[in-house]
Structure formats: C-alpha cells, structure tokens
Amino acid sequence: GESVGLHLPTLSVQEGDNSIINCAYSNSASDYFIWYKQESGKGPQFIIDIRSNMDKRQGQRVTVLLNKTVKHLSLQIAATQPGDSAVYFCALYSGGGADGLTFGKGTHLIIQP
Amino acid sequence: GAGVSQSPSNKVTEKGKDVELRCDPISGHTALYWYRQSLGQGLEFLIYFQGNSAPDKSGLPSDRFSAERTGESVSTLTIQRTQQEDSAVYLCASSLTGTTKAAQYFGPGTRLTVL
C-alpha cells in the first residue's frame, strides 16, 4: 500500500520568515493532493489542493509544489504569522478501494516571535 | 453557509458501554466520511457514504463499529462495547462528491474517552 510521510515532525520558524513543509508519498497512482491545517482542539481545515496535472498552485500566502518524479509535495507559507501555528497534514487519495484520504502524521509548525 | 457539525463535542464513557456519535454534513454534500485520530497521530479512515450507494466500510477496525446515514443528511457512528483503545477524536467530513475527487471539509470532532 501507499504511505504518506513528512520529513520533520516539528518545524520552528521566525515570525515573518517563509515556511516550507514537506511530504513524501509512495503511490505513483495518486492524482489528488490536499494540505490541511489543524489547530489544537479543532478539525482539519482545508488549505489548498493540487491535482497531478499541475506542478504548482498558489493561494493566499500559500503555494503547493508537486514533484511527481520524486513523489514529493511541499507547502510554502509566505511571511509566517503567529496564527499559522498548527499541525499541517498532507493527504492524498489512495485510488481504488476506499475513497477516504490517506493522511501523513503531520508537521507541527511553531512560530518564534 | 454552515460547516460540518458534530455532537457531542466530548464523550466520556465506561468500558463496555455503547456510544453514538452524530455528524451533520454541509448541506448539498453527497459524500460523508468518518475518520479516527489518536493523540498525536494522523487520521485513520473508517467509513464512507456516497449518495444512496452502499457504504464503504473497509476502514472499520472491528464489527463493534457501525455507521448509518439518513439519505444525504445526518450520519451516526456507533461503537458497541467500547474498549479503552477506542479512545480518540472521531472526525466527520463531507464533500460535494465522492466519485470525482474533491476536497473534504471536516467538523470539529468528538473526543471520546473510554475509562
């Protein structure tokens, strides 16, 4: 089966700096990817998604990059703010079988003042 | 419009008791999903409903777990004879469709504690 992993469990950045959160996946058939933000005590909040026919997509202060060759996904947050502190999950559809998302374990983003 | 809502927000029960968790999806969303999240972990898929089709139960961890959905509306997740390892946050999500991949929107979750 596929696996979804994150390179670092915790990422600490200075307020105002850019943050980059990485995610690796193993199922080359995955064609839809989503980044979620989860604050303490809340459900995951949709941030941005990307389909496999794209390699970059931009939102408000966020950019998702997809490298299908090395099966790598990243989330870039520009000018990180205190409100960006949360756990960030990458998720992908596993294709065939269950239609639920497969989630990584998450990266905890900590903003230093 | 309103997001996904879940109730109760917290549930404490004794081992061996049955519990029911409720999810109200976003109006118009045909697909509904249940996940479980253990402390500090990612989300584990449990079950998926799409319209009037038979649900995909492939993620349910045991036959103590079951779920129902009324049409394209409310869903209840039932855990019978709860065990301590059932303690987790149970999250519900809905999306516009499950047949073409679409973003899922999550509720706040129900934190279940089995003593």
Side-chain angles (χ1 to χ4, degrees):
Chain A
E2 73 289 326
S3 65
V4 183
L6 289 116
H7 294 306
L8 292 173
T10 301
L11 176 65
S12 183
V13 299
Q14 292 291 127
E15 182 178 349
D17 286 353
N18 296 335
S19 302
I20 300 176
I21 301 170
N22 296 305
C23 184
Y25 62 96
S26 59
N27 186 347
S28 57
S30 301
D31 60 358
Y32 181 54
F33 307 84
I34 308 174
W35 280 100
Y36 285 92
K37 171 186 180 182
Q38 187 173 26
E39 297 174 279
S40 181
K42 298 183 179 180
Q45 176 188 359
F46 172 87
I47 301 174
I48 191 167
D49 60 359
I50 189 167
R51 299 186 189 272
S52 59
N53 60 351
M54 302 173 69
D55 53 19
K56 179 179 180 179
R57 190 169 187 212
Q58 290 185 294
Q60 186 178 12
R61 280 201 308 119
V62 295
T63 300
V64 56
L65 299 176
L66 175 63
N67 186 329
K68 294 179 288 296
T69 302
V70 296
K71 296 196 275 293
H72 184 269
L73 187 71
S74 69
L75 177 70
Q76 301 179 3
I77 305 173
T80 312
Q81 302 169 359
D84 295 329
S85 289
V87 176
Y88 290 81
F89 293 96
C90 65
L92 54 84
Y93 273 93
S94 53
D99 270 30
L101 289 168
T102 299
F103 282 78
K105 285 187 166 49
T107 292
H108 187 192
L109 180 63
I110 298 171
I111 311 304
Q112 304 282 0
Chain B
V4 178
S5 60
Q6 293 185 245
S7 62
S9 54
N10 281 284
K11 177 71 177 178
V12 180
T13 190
E14 294 180 345
K15 178 181 173 180
K17 300 282 190 182
D18 297 352
V19 295
E20 275 193 2
L21 313 179
R22 177 187 169 109
C23 171
D24 287 83
I26 293 172
S27 178
H29 280 193
T30 60
L32 185 147
Y33 308 78
W34 283 97
Y35 294 87
R36 178 169 68 175
Q37 185 175 31
S38 299
L39 185 64
Q41 299 295 311
L43 279 70
E44 173 190 3
F45 167 76
L46 296 177
I47 189 169
Y48 155 65
F49 296 89
Q50 170 56 38
N52 295 319
S53 302
D56 181 339
K57 305 178 181 179
S58 59
L60 295 179
S62 79
D63 58 9
R64 295 186 296 103
F65 288 72
S66 63
E68 293 183 347
R69 187 180 186 192
T70 306
E72 294 185 350
S73 182
V74 172
S75 175
T76 56
L77 176 69
T78 301
I79 308 173
Q80 296 178 307
R81 306 181 301 282
T82 51
Q83 304 295 312
Q84 288 182 332
E85 60 263 28
D86 299 335
S87 295
V89 175
Y90 289 82
L91 290 156
C92 174
S94 69
S95 69
L96 275 172
T97 176
T99 54
T100 55
K101 299 176 176 70
Q104 296 177 21
Y105 295 87
F106 286 81
T110 293
R111 181 175 297 278
L112 175 66
T113 303
V114 182
L115 302 176

